[in-house]
Amino acid sequence: MADLARLNEVIEPEAKALGFELVRVKMVPSEAGDGGEALQIMAEDPATGQLVIEQCAALSRRVSDRIDELEEQGEVLIEGAYHLEVSSPGIDRPLTRAKDFENWAGHESKVSMAKGYDGQRNYKGELKGLEGDLVVIEDAKAGEAKLPRDQIHSAKLVLTDALIAATQPLDTSGADDIEEEKADD
């Protein structure tokens, strides 16, 4: 098991030192196929909303060094073996912070409520934003729903044409040089 709150405390300053904002820290099944776990870190450069490979590598090195340092001092942050995965949140990004729900208002999203939530568990529709600590979504079935942020299990944007249009590529250099081949009939 891993203490995610403590991991956030350790990782966030490392991300900030590089000028990044932490989006999410989560333990997930490893994609290495070994049945192990992965410490998944999603961060973004506030200037772009994404991270390029070099930025992911820099954050990975900082976090790895910091975790190693703490473990050498006797603190166990994650029991057992794990993989470290650092990535950009991507276009259909998770919504984890209050500002995510505000910044992405107007786009389609999926929200799943925590177990034990009294009401509908899954919502999908246009994200309207925040009202205090309530996430407002126009659900396709239930209509407007106001959901307590602390009861949300997961939330993410849905990949749509409108989202693609609203998300600028990080680097378009060379795009004008791409030649399209026409298939022979």
Side-chain angles (χ1 to χ4, degrees):
M1 290 298 293
D3 181 347
L4 291 178
R6 177 65 180 133
L7 283 167
N8 270 291
E9 289 173 3
V10 169
I11 295 166
E12 189 164 26
E14 301 305 324
K16 283 184 177 181
L18 294 170
F20 307 147
E21 292 181 0
L22 199 56
V23 174
R24 180 174 77 187
V25 174
K26 185 176 181 181
M27 293 301 296
V28 298
S30 174
E31 293 183 9
D34 60 3
E37 287 191 305
L39 172 59
Q40 182 189 72
I41 301 169
M42 286 187 185
E44 66 182 1
D45 182 334
T48 63
Q50 300 291 320
L51 287 185
V52 294
I53 291 172
E54 294 81 13
Q55 292 172 313
C56 290
L59 181 56
S60 179
R61 283 190 295 276
R62 279 193 76 105
V63 168
S64 183
D65 289 348
R66 182 65 179 134
I67 289 174
D68 288 349
E69 180 184 314
L70 290 170
E71 287 179 349
E72 287 172 10
Q73 296 171 10
E75 185 173 359
V76 178
L77 295 169
I78 303 169
E79 293 180 23
Y82 66 93
H83 299 276
L84 179 59
E85 296 176 2
V86 177
S87 68
S88 174
I91 195 168
D92 54 347
R93 65 185 305 126
L95 304 169
T96 59
R97 305 164 295 179
K99 74 179 201 169
D100 294 336
F101 293 100
E102 294 168 341
N103 291 345
W104 295 100
H107 291 282
E108 189 169 341
S109 64
K110 289 170 95 173
V111 178
S112 295
M113 301 306 289
K115 288 182 181 175
Y117 175 72
D118 187 24
Q120 183 174 320
R121 182 122 191 260
N122 296 304
Y123 296 82
K124 183 177 179 183
E126 183 183 344
L127 180 63
K128 297 293 190 177
L130 276 180
E131 288 182 13
D133 284 335
L134 299 174
V135 172
V136 183
I137 184 170
E138 185 67 34
D139 182 70
K141 296 176 187 170
E144 184 176 277
K146 295 181 180 181
L147 310 170
R149 235 181 88 213
D150 65 351
Q151 290 291 305
I152 293 176
H153 174 263
S154 64
K156 68 178 238 160
L157 293 176
V158 174
L159 189 59
T160 63
D161 289 341
L163 181 60
I164 292 168
T167 307
Q168 298 298 315
L170 293 177
D171 183 5
T172 59
S173 61
D176 293 335
D177 299 330
I178 296 173
E179 292 183 19
E180 196 171 310
E181 289 184 26
K182 297 195 189 294
D184 294 329
D185 288 330

